[in-house]
Amino acid sequence: MIKVDFEKGNGLIPCIVQDVHTLQVLMLAYMNEESLQETLRSGLATYWSRSRNELWKKGETSGHFQHVKEILIDCDQDTLLIKVEQDGAACHTGKYSCFYRTLEGEDIL
């Protein structure tokens, strides 16, 4: 297994989350070593919540789990692309993707 470089981000790496079927980008989250290991163990996306300073299994509260189908790593080994089957909405606003509006504030989805 390729070693993930957690050192560059002070223990955290960005994770781009993408729908495995449509390839739509759903969200951006962060992982530490513990959350990556839990994701690999459970098959459910688990992140590090920077605001709560704790592990965060996506869907524990909302029921909108992310079933991990594939994890890719970038050339610098410090960013992950996680392809998931998404249950319900990925965004806390109820939208399927967190990327649903333009910089001008217009909803596109």
Side-chain angles (χ1 to χ4, degrees), residues 12-30:
L12 294 177
I13 59 167
C15 304
I16 302 161
V17 184
Q18 186 178 44
D19 183 298
V20 69
H21 301 295
T22 67
L23 303 182
Q24 181 178 9
V25 174
L26 301 178
M27 57 183 276
L28 172 76
Y30 291 87

Side-chain angles (χ1 to χ4, degrees), residues 7-108:
E7 297 301 314
K8 290 179 192 166
N10 294 321
L12 294 177
I13 59 167
C15 304
I16 302 161
V17 184
Q18 186 178 44
D19 183 298
V20 69
H21 301 295
T22 67
L23 303 182
Q24 181 178 9
V25 174
L26 301 178
M27 57 183 276
L28 172 76
Y30 291 87
M31 282 187 169
N32 62 10
E33 287 187 67
E34 184 181 7
S35 62
L36 177 57
Q37 290 305 315
E38 177 58 21
T39 296
L40 294 171
R41 185 196 67 72
S42 70
L44 296 172
T46 304
Y47 306 107
W48 181 256
S49 172
R50 296 177 300 160
S51 59
R52 295 188 310 260
N53 205 34
E54 64 184 13
L55 287 182
W56 158 49
K57 187 175 300 266
K58 181 69 174 164
E60 271 184 331
T61 304
S62 66
H64 298 166
F65 292 96
Q66 294 177 335
H67 305 272
V68 176
K69 299 302 175 187
E70 186 176 28
I71 300 177
L72 304 172
I73 190 165
D74 78 330
C75 56
D76 294 323
Q77 298 173 215
D78 63 357
T79 302
L80 297 178
L81 173 63
I82 303 176
K83 295 185 180 184
V84 303
E85 283 185 348
Q86 176 69 47
D87 292 339
C91 185
H92 73 280
T93 66
K95 299 281 190 179
Y96 186 68
S97 169
C98 292
F99 298 95
Y100 62 88
R101 59 184 161 197
T102 67
L103 203 52
E104 290 80 23
E106 299 170 13
D107 281 13
I108 58 172

